[in-house]
Amino acid sequence: MASIHLDQIGHSYGTAVYALEKTDMHFEDGKTYALLGPSGCGKTTMLNIISGLLTPSDGRVLLGGTDVTRTRTAERNIAQVFQFPVVYQSKTVFENLAFPLHCRGWDRSRIATRVAEIADLLGLTSRLSQSARRLTADEKQLISLGRGLVRNDVAALLMDEPLTVIDPHMKFDLRRRIKQANDQTRHTVVYVTHDQNEAMTFADEVLVMSAGRVVQRGTPQQLFEAPRNLYVGNFIGSPGMNFVRAERLDGDLRLDGVPLVGADRCRGIAPDAEIVLGIRPEHIAFAQGEELGVPASIVSAQDHGSLLVVDVAVGSDRLRMKVRRDVSFPAGQARLRVSSDQVRLYVDGVLVN
Amino acid sequence: MLSTLKYIAVVLWSAFVVAPLLWALTTSFKTANGVTGGPTYLPYIGFEPSLDGWRSLFGGAGGIDIVRPYMDSLIVTSSASLISIVLGTLAAYGLSRFEYRAGFVKNTDIIFFFISQRIMPPIVLAIPFFLMLQFLGLLDTKIGLILVYVALLLPIAVWIMVDFFDGVPRQIDEMAMLDGCTPFEAFWRIVLPNSMPGILVASMFCVIFGWNDFFFAFTLTFTDTQLLPVAVVSLNSSVTPWWSLSASALVSVAPLILIAIFVERLLSRGTLAGAIR
């Protein structure tokens, strides 16, 4: 196990465009990180640079403080699980799981014990003597994962969207098993995904990426509560954050005439700057009784199981709010209560305060 | 109804394939009288069987010793095929996995360079080969022929294997390196065992070509070395000895039939299908 330090790392695949913009990044020892972002944003490139499958165009890779930029993949001792299962077809399940240990020159009995442990953890014990050729995609991916976990001395465990090919009903189970294995081994884990739920459940810290750069890193809670810019606000949460232009009157920020945010929070913002309010759908509710609320008209409601996502129009803006199923709300016109301390302010697309 | 038709078709096709072999088999047991007496197929009834044809293969009356050409053919074909497969597989792996560049020459150009060796008709190559072997003092030797066959077989091996390796996901190699292999170990311990189907197909092509080649064996060897196809043809004289010719044809085709049966077994076991994923 080791910390990972990417020192001014950047990479381009032979074109002027950088797949990974020059960046400095530190992953602490024993923590789990999620790289979250849409396809083609540089997540996989970053993993391949860490594991040495790719030599970066710029910068240095440090594992536990040692410069490994020019060190071979094999000598870095990193485990990586790819998006699509990779099994050695000519070998049995046992031989597949034992291969990394063979490469490290373990003796036979030690290998047998260790493989048995991992097979037990992943529920593959009954399959050990089978040929790897005839397994289902789920099982093959479990083997890929197993080959990563079987060495207990790896510097880091990198996972590149390992659950993409897995059946939905298996996903939950597999996620649990991965998490369980992680908790046992306490590796430094970097987990690439485009599924925010996966990122949020796995990771101590989430890094949101876009177009080759890390836009924001923080705990799942930080990303949810204070997205640094409109991109993160949109990307995190389902549905994403609402963004509406605020009216600025007597120093207050208002939405359709109703004051939402006090003048004290606008300190330091140029008086003529255009301010956008970021409001999570979770932080909007229907006003009760005589409460002052933002007048709105209800456009539509979508059933999301235990929740309804309601589309409402405020002036010329559209907002989405999450409402518990059992809450009754008026048809047509309504008033909205917005928790003002949860409202975030954005100038030029970037969070202020 | 459909299955009946299918069986009829299969039977007709089998007859079409087996009949010439049957003809050769019966002819090989005939004498001059038996051959000229019109088509007969049943020994003792249609003709009087004789082992003259088979005896002539071992230097009997009216024939030539076929054992030495047979061994020569085996040695030349297997050596040339083995060398071509080993070199071809290594070259193909390199061309499939690494990028080479020499000025404007890139991987695809190199692959085309290999394949282009087979564009020219053999007759164009015969004279240069002759002169080169003469210069090296290798005319009429097995080594000379092996060299020529390697030059001819290598393009086939490279071509088939590049195509095969291109179909093997790069992740397999990457995973092996992550598991602790050097790039060569990844090739040797993981990719190669996974590539047996491709190697088998390439070997088959090489062996068939090497075994059947007449032209180069004819132009580049004379007396010290003689390959089987040349020896078989040399049986032909003013009076064609059909019996010994048939016997020699049967023994020459036998290894190829064995290979065909072997490959068919592997095919039906599914060993060649779905090597990856």
Side-chain angles (χ1 to χ4, degrees), chain A residues 51 53 72-74 78 80-82 84 86-91 99-100 102-104 133 140 144 147 151, chain B residues 171-183 185 189-190 193-194 269-271 273-277:
Chain A
S51 63
L53 295 175
R72 271 199 186 137
T73 302
I78 281 177
Q80 189 167 355
V81 181
F82 297 127
F84 295 101
V86 177
V87 297
Y88 307 137
Q89 306 261 8
S90 53
K91 298 179 186 294
F99 187 71
H102 268 299
C103 290
R104 287 196 159 54
R133 196 186 298 272
K140 285 184 181 175
S144 300
R147 273 203 319 267
R151 290 174 275 163
Chain B
Q171 275 95 335
I172 299 253
D173 317 36
E174 294 180 343
M175 188 53 94
M177 286 191 261
L178 286 162
D179 281 346
C181 293
T182 61
E185 281 173 333
R189 298 177 66 170
I190 297 300
N194 262 319
R269 265 202 354 231
T271 314
I276 305 299
R277 277 189 199 170

Side-chain angles (χ1 to χ4, degrees), chain B residues 18 23 43-44 56 88 105 113 129 163 192 227 229 231 262 267:
Chain B
V18 172
W23 183 86
Y44 299 108
S56 70
V105 178
F113 169 77
F129 274 144
D163 203 48
L192 207 59
L227 295 201
F262 172 67
L267 271 176

Side-chain angles (χ1 to χ4, degrees), chain B residues 196-208 255-273:
Chain B
M196 274 310 155
I199 291 175
L200 217 79
V201 170
S203 319
M204 201 178 70
F205 274 104
C206 288
V207 167
I208 291 175
L256 298 186
I257 292 180
L258 287 180
I259 289 178
I261 291 172
F262 172 67
V263 170
E264 198 273 338
R265 279 280 159 80
L266 290 180
L267 271 176
S268 62
R269 265 202 354 231
T271 314
L272 296 191

Side-chain angles (χ1 to χ4, degrees), chain A residues 74-144:
Chain A
E75 285 149 33
R76 295 190 191 189
N77 196 10
I78 281 177
Q80 189 167 355
V81 181
F82 297 127
Q83 183 170 5
F84 295 101
V86 177
V87 297
Y88 307 137
Q89 306 261 8
S90 53
K91 298 179 186 294
T92 64
V93 172
F94 179 89
E95 288 165 343
N96 262 279
L97 292 175
F99 187 71
L101 304 179
H102 268 299
C103 290
R104 287 196 159 54
W106 283 34
D107 64 65
R108 234 166 247 263
S109 59
R110 211 170 137 215
I111 290 178
T113 327
R114 181 63 186 154
V115 169
E117 273 172 36
I118 288 298
D120 186 47
L121 178 68
L122 297 174
L124 287 169
T125 308
S126 60
R127 299 246 183 271
L128 280 179
S129 57
Q130 276 185 16
S131 160
R133 196 186 298 272
R134 305 201 195 286
L135 301 176
T136 64
D138 298 348
E139 289 167 329
K140 285 184 181 175
Q141 190 63 317
L142 274 179
I143 293 173
S144 300

Side-chain angles (χ1 to χ4, degrees), chain B residues 84-141:
Chain B
S84 307
I85 289 298
V86 170
L87 294 181
T89 303
L90 290 170
Y93 185 70
L95 286 168
S96 162
R97 288 301 192 261
F98 303 99
E99 260 183 57
Y100 299 95
R101 192 172 282 194
F104 64 92
V105 178
K106 288 185 211 152
N107 283 28
T108 46
D109 304 311
I110 300 172
I111 295 169
F112 179 74
F113 169 77
F114 271 109
I115 298 168
S116 66
Q117 305 301 307
R118 297 311 301 270
I119 290 176
M120 284 169 280
I123 191 76
V124 178
L125 299 170
I127 294 166
F129 274 144
F130 190 94
L131 293 175
M132 280 189 266
L133 290 192
Q134 189 178 40
F135 178 74
L136 293 169
L138 291 175
L139 271 179
D140 203 13
T141 62

